[in-house]
């Protein structure tokens, strides 16, 4: 079990992503480890997604390094040979939702105050094509199209209805349930399961691998636009005010 | 709000399509216009689809011109940068259904007498691949496969169940609801929403653009077959008799 | 109506597949035959899927011949011009499920003891990509991904929920219902229905046609691995013990 613990909101900073990838690689290479459960050690939030401070007022080099780390995280997680279960014990917008979507199975606490979704559009940002591909593979084209355009965040019960999460449980049952699901998946022979997973996800993984540098350039040129920088600064101001 | 008013059944004639495309282009270029609601000024019918008289007993040149206009309508509507909402206040078979499917959101009057679907197969006609692609993007492969083969028309409540429309409302609430939905979509920043929409629809739009002339030739050679002409004539006779 | 009668469990042996393909070809070429209903003459089982004895302890040549026959069956069935209805009157795992998935419509007896699914992973085997493509076309990507990894078998009521079958009926109504469905599909003009079906399935059929020899080589090298042979032998032992 891997517990995200980067208060206040488990945002995916460059440091967080780097550490996450290293941990994942270690586990991947550890033959004794056949599966991982991801959950949060921070109350009420699973992960708030990409760290906006990494995308605001930094150098081109920094943007490139950051985006490569985001790609790396997804490539490792979505392509993992291990069984991956997201035990979503709090809200999970944007990049946090991507982490959950990239797992094999998603269990969420049945608290309607916790919401999940790819809400990038609300910030004036476009979710990259591989966020979209991952999303479409889980909820289908129609729900993805509408949700991405509206930047929808779904309360847990609605997320279940759309198949964005697989199951809801009371908070106190989350860990137990995640262990039970993991046991069910680990009952299958690894080799066949891994080949099957790879068969299902390869097309989408290969698409990013084929366009990785292009995707980084896209990100840099988009994020460094003055209009985008301005709207990110406004969003950060709003977050600061809300806190105080 | 654009109201279709081409009695008796808002069929998509060459004139209708030409005017529709010109209006759409004007709105697209008008920076003050960020969204359009499509509805019908004709009672009980949204649009009856492609005008059969344009496909029956005409010259090859006419068929080509007509089909290019149908393509043009779809390319503009499915690829529109504006928010497009279909307020479906009547039946909407075949091409009428395509118009609705090409919008961002579909609201239908909750009258089970109003039906919607791609029923081309019932007339012995094959829906072209881009009708099919648009349909699959909304309802998924399975429902599309079955519905296209059977030429199914779904009463409003069933259409909702399959996700063919997003919402049902009483007739007197339709306009109000359409305005509310439009306001919700317009609350998002245009640029991110447009890029997201384009990302979702580009593959399918590009497929027609890459095969446009071929698709026209296909249509001409199919529609000018004596067997097809005969079945269209029979269908028109039936419609005339039903009217009188 | 074609009744599978190869006791004890209608397993898809080389002989069964060969005879099946010949019968299918005859019907396909018989202009008087526009549709086929597939059902089982063996109680409680529709088809148990690929015959494991054909995959265990045989020569490379035998594996190649067997796999080519499995491919041939699917190519003919999934690509059939006829209306194909599966009247699933018993359990239908693995290859048996593929037969049902390849039809135009699936009716299953509403007995929760009868189950259906692509459970290859449970045997340590990987369903080939065209099994997967057929499955995704019916239930969508998410359900397919999870079900294939877990090798899930679904009792009839659950299979209906996921759209893996289209309809459940009491056993005594199965034949009558299948005939009614067939009549509904045959009411459509053949030509348009066939072109529509081909448009929906061509991409997936072409993928196997383009990689057929490669797929045979993959199968041979996978199935002849000692670890796979061992797990198949163990599975056969278990089946024998269960019987006695």
């Amino acid at each position: 079990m891997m517990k995200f613990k980067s208060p206040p909101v488990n945002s995916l900073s460059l440091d967080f992503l780097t550490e996450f990838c290293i941990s994942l690689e270690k586990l991947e290479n550890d033959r004794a480890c056949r599966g991982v459960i991801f959950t949060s050690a921070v109350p009420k939030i699973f992960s708030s997604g990409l760290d906006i401070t990494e995308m605001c007022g930094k150098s081109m080099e920094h943007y490139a390094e950051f985006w490569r780390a985001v790609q790396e995280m997804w490539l490792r997680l979505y392509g993992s040979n291990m069984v991956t279960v997201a035990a979503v014990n709090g809200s999970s917008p944007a990049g946090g939702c991507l982490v959950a979507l990239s797992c094999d199975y998603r269990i969420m606490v049945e608290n309607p105050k916790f919401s999940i979704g790819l809400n990038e559009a609300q910030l004036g940002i476009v979710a990259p094509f591989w966020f979209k591909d991952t999303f479409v593979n889980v909820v289908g084209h129609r729900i993805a199209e509408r949700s991405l355009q509206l930047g929808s965040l779904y309360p847990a019960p609605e997320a279940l209805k759309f198949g964005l999460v697989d199951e809801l449980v009371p908070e106190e049952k989350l860990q137990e349930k995640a262990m039970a699901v993991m046991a069910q998946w680990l009952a299958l022979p690894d080799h066949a399961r891994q080949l099957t997973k790879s068969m299902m996800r390869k097309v989408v993984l290969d698409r990013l691998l084929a366009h990785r540098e292009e995707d980084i350039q896209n990100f840099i040129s988009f994020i460094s636009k003055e209009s985008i920088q301005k709207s990110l600064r406004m969003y950060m101001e709003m977050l600061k005010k809300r806190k105080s």
Side-chain angles (χ1 to χ4, degrees), chain A:
Chain A
M1 180 166 302
M2 194 187 288
K3 286 200 176 184
F4 301 147
K5 192 174 181 176
S6 176
V9 290
N10 284 336
S11 62
L12 305 174
S13 64
L14 184 52
D15 284 350
F16 185 105
L17 290 167
T18 308
E19 205 183 313
F20 184 72
C21 283
I22 292 172
S23 308
L24 215 54
E25 191 181 8
K26 268 189 203 156
L27 294 173
E28 202 79 51
N29 292 331
D30 178 356
R31 297 199 56 175
C33 177
R34 298 172 58 217
V36 197
I37 297 168
F38 300 99
T39 196
S40 166
V42 173
K44 296 184 193 163
I45 193 102
F46 179 69
S47 162
S48 66
L50 304 186
D51 188 343
I52 294 177
T53 63
E54 306 278 10
M55 301 191 270
C56 211
K58 296 288 200 302
S59 70
M60 299 293 177
E61 289 71 31
H62 186 86
Y63 294 150
E65 190 187 356
F66 176 62
W67 199 246
R68 190 180 302 278
V70 179
Q71 292 176 334
E72 190 66 27
M73 179 270 289
W74 178 76
L75 288 168
R76 286 185 182 282
L77 186 57
Y78 199 60
S80 173
N81 268 325
M82 299 182 287
V83 173
T84 50
V85 172
V88 183
N89 54 347
S91 283
S92 197
C97 177
L98 181 75
V99 170
L101 287 171
S102 302
C103 290
D104 292 317
Y105 199 84
R106 285 158 288 287
I107 309 163
M108 192 167 180
V109 168
E110 63 182 0
N111 184 341
K113 286 184 187 167
F114 297 163
S115 64
I116 185 167
L118 294 174
N119 63 326
E120 281 79 354
Q122 288 198 9
L123 285 72
I125 298 181
V126 182
F129 70 89
W130 40 284
F131 280 53
K132 180 265 288 177
D133 288 342
T134 312
F135 198 29
V136 168
N137 275 353
V138 174
V139 299
H141 191 279
R142 172 58 190 150
I143 302 290
E145 185 184 275
R146 191 171 74 195
S147 305
L148 284 174
Q149 284 197 67
L150 291 173
S152 307
L153 284 175
Y154 296 109
E158 264 195 274
L160 178 70
K161 216 176 62 187
F162 294 137
L164 182 44
V165 298
D166 295 298
E167 206 169 340
L168 298 186
V169 293
E171 182 135 26
E172 67 277 14
K173 293 278 177 71
L174 181 63
Q175 188 162 335
E176 181 189 328
K177 183 72 205 181
M179 301 297 270
V181 165
M182 181 57 80
Q184 183 200 6
W185 284 67
L186 291 180
L188 279 290
D190 279 340
H191 189 59
R193 191 191 47 70
Q194 288 163 0
L195 288 174
T196 303
K197 182 173 178 176
S198 161
M199 175 172 66
M200 298 300 301
R201 300 191 167 188
K202 197 173 181 314
V203 175
V204 161
L205 287 163
D206 284 352
R207 199 172 301 155
L208 177 57
L209 288 172
H211 299 284
R212 196 164 177 181
E213 295 309 317
E214 199 184 320
D215 182 58
I216 293 176
Q217 290 312 315
N218 272 346
F219 173 72
I220 296 178
S221 71
F222 185 81
I223 211 72
S224 56
K225 274 184 194 155
E226 190 39 43
S227 58
I228 302 297
Q229 284 291 313
K230 194 178 156 191
S231 90
L232 290 179
R233 277 194 305 267
M234 281 171 60
Y235 188 75
M236 283 171 66
E237 286 303 317
M238 194 196 74
L239 289 183
K240 268 183 212 164
K241 272 181 203 154
R242 203 191 281 174
K243 252 183 276 177
S244 59

